[in-house]
Amino acid sequence: MSAKIVIIGAGSAGIAAATSLYQNGFRNVQILEATDRIGGRVHTIPFGENVIDKGAQWCHGEKQNVVFELANPLGLLESSVINSNYVLVQSNGDIVDQTLSARLFKLADEIAESEDLDTYGGTFGDFFTERFTKAINEEKNKDIDRELVQQFLMLYHNYQKGYNAIDSWYEYSVNDDAEDCEGNQGLSWMGKGYKSVLDLLMKRHPSQKSEPIPIENSIIFNKCVKNILWNRGPDYPVTVYCSDGSQYDADHVVVTTSLGVLKENLLTMFTPQLPSIKRNAITGIYFGTVNKIIMEFDVPFWTELGNTFSLLWSLDDLESLSKSEYAWTEGVSSFFKIDRQPNLLGAWMMGKECRQAELLSDEAIIDGMLFLLKKYFKGKQIDKPVKMIRSQWFTDRNFRGSYSSRSIVTDLLKTGCADLAVPLTDCLGKPVLLFAGEATNTKHYGTVHGAIESGWREADRLTSLYEKSSKEKQAP
């Protein structure tokens, strides 16, 4: 195939698109990557005695999950430690009885997954608090301490903030049409990290027998796209201008940058301006931030306590926290073990506190983590971690957040992922500006498997276009 194709971004969607195009005969493909690495929000790095993932970490689900389908037949996945021994810890150091915590989570999950969501008129937060309050006041649940109920409600709100990358469940839409893949939601990469999926896409993983797809030779790093001139007519190429003054012409450009980058550069990145349906999608789809803090300790103090520790705040302790220098730590929802790294402990951060914490020094972050650990794990010898690493997705200009979700604004603008996915065409109907990435996937947005699917989708679109053109030329 002689068509010149430029892909913007070497994340999961960009790599998926490029490898698929290569396999379908396209050789004139170039990838412009703003950073100095591939992967995007898949970012596996050395840390501790092995590697950790600053971004995507687990394969979520098995059925109709392309990541699972790539990795599982080769024996590359195992159930993560986070799937068992989940513990609720109160801010006075008490651990909630496991039977009781299981009851609370079962009730909460049933409400969150209720089919009644489809016909409810308010926000997810309205729906959940209304149903949870009603259920918890039923006679069978009146044995549960009322203060514990309030603590759990705040925790579950935090959990939803992280799961959907939102600041509040009162801005999250009940019209969420995402589909979870059935099966194990916490499959880890056996100590190899999520970068394994990139190797699988490029067919260069040691477990694969096939010839590697040499698309890395087509990647140009440190190329920050400034503007795309995309609609000059069928006789002119699409031109991509970079901030270093370089420019690249193409027949087709596939944009796989994060939704956060599209939001920030909406008015300057495209010439002419994108049509209103596309601008509404970029504006309306939510794009939040979830970060991880990962610490290495000489001696793990949590070994016999559990695998995941969710934090419950008493109202008095929360009030005191809000007046302290550690107020930002309210954004920490839980601590969790790292697979195959017994000396590492991670923390989840979300919401506005997550973005605030990105501006703090590493030393301030460590101090805040020690404050929480000593408060929740009373009686344990907790020394300063020997090393700490964290993600900072919001302040990174190449991402400006973590992943997408559907908000009330999305509903008000009557938009969604499908609108973002629609390609823009020239006057002859040829797609010249295409969009991929997790935020363009109507069913699996917010996931790596959704990003990969979207890259394949756009590669298939271009492949079909040229196959059809070739058949038309051959027809008598």
Side-chain angles (χ1 to χ4, degrees):
M1 301 287 188
S2 60
K4 174 65 182 295
I5 301 170
V6 168
I7 298 172
I8 301 175
S12 301
I15 296 296
T19 50
S20 179
L21 287 168
Y22 186 93
Q23 288 178 298
N24 282 289
F26 291 88
R27 294 294 182 270
N28 199 359
V29 177
Q30 203 158 46
I31 305 175
L32 305 180
E33 168 54 44
T35 71
D36 59 0
R37 61 177 181 83
I38 67 170
R41 285 163 277 169
V42 171
H43 193 191
T44 304
I45 61 171
F47 189 78
E49 296 180 356
N50 196 352
V51 297
I52 56 98
D53 285 301
K54 293 182 76 173
Q57 185 164 347
W58 299 283
C59 172
H60 296 296
E62 302 165 53
K63 189 175 180 180
Q64 296 182 332
N65 184 326
V66 296
V67 172
F68 182 82
E69 291 166 2
L70 285 168
N72 190 63
L74 300 174
L76 304 181
L77 299 171
E78 65 183 359
S79 187
S80 171
V81 294
I82 65 162
N83 288 321
S84 62
N85 212 352
Y86 199 99
V87 177
L88 293 180
V89 189
Q90 295 178 289
S91 53
N92 63 0
D94 290 346
I95 292 179
V96 178
D97 177 77
Q98 288 278 37
T99 302
L100 183 54
S101 65
R103 282 176 62 189
L104 288 167
F105 271 111
K106 183 175 184 295
L107 173 60
D109 290 342
E110 287 175 351
I111 295 171
E113 297 165 8
S114 170
E115 293 182 356
D116 292 343
L117 274 168
D118 297 335
T119 57
Y120 188 76
T123 67
F124 179 85
D126 293 324
F127 178 86
F128 186 88
T129 53
E130 177 186 305
R131 297 300 177 94
F132 186 79
T133 301
K134 181 180 179 181
I136 209 70
N137 285 325
E138 293 177 0
E139 190 63 34
K140 63 181 179 180
N141 292 320
K142 286 188 175 179
D143 62 309
I144 304 177
D145 179 74
R146 297 297 97 172
E147 184 175 354
L148 175 60
V149 168
Q150 289 304 310
Q151 292 176 13
F152 179 81
L153 189 60
M154 289 187 290
L155 166 69
Y156 203 76
H157 186 190
N158 246 356
Y159 166 75
Q160 289 293 332
K161 288 182 190 178
Y163 188 77
N164 297 297
I166 54 177
D167 281 3
S168 168
W169 57 14
Y170 294 109
E171 60 189 15
Y172 184 58
S173 172
V174 295
N175 295 317
D176 178 15
D177 51 1
E179 294 180 357
D180 290 335
C181 298
E182 294 179 18
N184 193 330
Q185 295 298 306
L187 290 165
S188 71
W189 292 89
M190 304 178 74
K192 303 299 184 183
Y194 216 125
K195 71 175 181 63
S196 300
V197 80
L198 305 173
D199 292 331
L200 291 172
L201 288 170
M202 296 184 285
K203 297 189 182 298
R204 66 178 192 184
H205 194 279
S207 63
Q208 293 172 303
K209 308 296 184 184
S210 52
E211 187 73 20
I213 302 173
I215 63 161
E216 278 193 289
N217 299 331
S218 302
I219 303 173
I220 307 177
F221 293 102
N222 301 306
K223 287 292 180 180
C224 183
V225 172
K226 184 178 181 180
N227 183 261
I228 303 171
L229 182 59
W230 64 275
N231 192 14
R232 289 187 292 174
D235 296 326
Y236 295 90
V238 180
T239 303
V240 179
Y241 298 93
C242 297
S243 57
D244 62 2
S246 59
Q247 66 183 67
Y248 301 85
D249 291 335
D251 296 301
H252 311 275
V253 171
V254 184
V255 179
T256 75
T257 53
S258 79
L259 179 60
V261 170
L262 292 178
K263 284 178 178 290
E264 182 175 53
N265 300 285
L266 178 57
L267 299 180
T268 60
M269 193 170 180
F270 302 96
T271 302
Q273 284 290 307
L274 298 177
S276 59
I277 188 173
K278 191 74 68 177
R279 296 198 306 271
N280 283 347
I282 293 171
T283 302
I285 302 171
Y286 197 92
F287 196 71
T289 307
V290 177
N291 279 325
K292 284 183 279 192
I293 300 167
I294 299 178
M295 299 163 284
E296 181 180 9
F297 292 84
D298 279 331
V299 180
F301 59 86
W302 58 87
T303 305
E304 305 301 323
L305 299 177
N307 293 335
T308 299
F309 310 93
S310 287
L311 310 184
L312 300 172
W313 283 100
S314 71
L315 293 179
D316 288 343
D317 282 344
L318 198 56
E319 183 178 356
S320 297
L321 178 71
S322 67
K323 299 174 183 177
S324 76
E325 63 180 307
Y326 302 120
W328 58 271
T329 63
E330 185 183 348
V332 176
S333 65
S334 60
F335 292 102
F336 61 98
K337 288 183 177 180
I338 306 296
D339 291 289
R340 299 197 178 204
Q341 292 241 52
N343 284 46
L344 300 191
L345 188 67
W348 284 113
M349 282 207 71
M350 56 278 304
K352 59 182 177 59
E353 295 88 358
C354 166
R355 296 191 296 277
Q356 292 167 358
E358 288 196 24
L359 303 176
L360 299 176
S361 67
D362 285 356
E363 196 61 35
I365 295 295
I366 292 172
D367 287 345
M369 293 300 100
L370 285 174
F371 161 76
L372 285 181
L373 291 171
K374 290 177 179 179
K375 183 170 187 61
Y376 278 87
F377 297 94
K378 289 180 170 59
K380 294 292 182 181
Q381 176 63 40
I382 301 174
D383 297 320
K384 186 176 180 179
V386 294
K387 281 193 291 186
M388 184 276 295
I389 196 165
R390 55 176 168 150
S391 58
Q392 294 170 283
W393 294 112
F394 181 73
T395 51
D396 191 323
R397 68 172 187 170
N398 297 312
F399 301 100
R400 296 303 191 206
S402 301
Y403 43 90
S404 62
S405 62
R406 189 177 184 95
S407 71
I408 296 302
V409 176
T410 316
D411 292 345
L412 290 174
L413 292 176
K414 297 180 180 180
T415 188
C417 300
D419 291 335
L420 185 56
V422 174
L424 300 180
T425 63
D426 62 19
C427 62
L428 299 179
K430 182 179 74 174
V432 293
L433 188 60
L434 302 88
F435 292 82
E438 53 86 10
T440 72
N441 193 307
T442 58
K443 296 300 182 184
H444 296 148
Y445 48 84
T447 68
V448 177
H449 53 274
I452 292 172
E453 288 174 341
S454 73
W456 286 346
R457 179 194 68 219
E458 297 311 310
D460 288 346
R461 190 190 307 277
L462 292 174
T463 299
S464 297
L465 174 70
Y466 283 91
E467 286 179 346
K468 179 181 178 182
S469 176
S470 177
K471 289 179 181 178
E472 289 175 348
K473 289 179 180 178
Q474 293 174 10

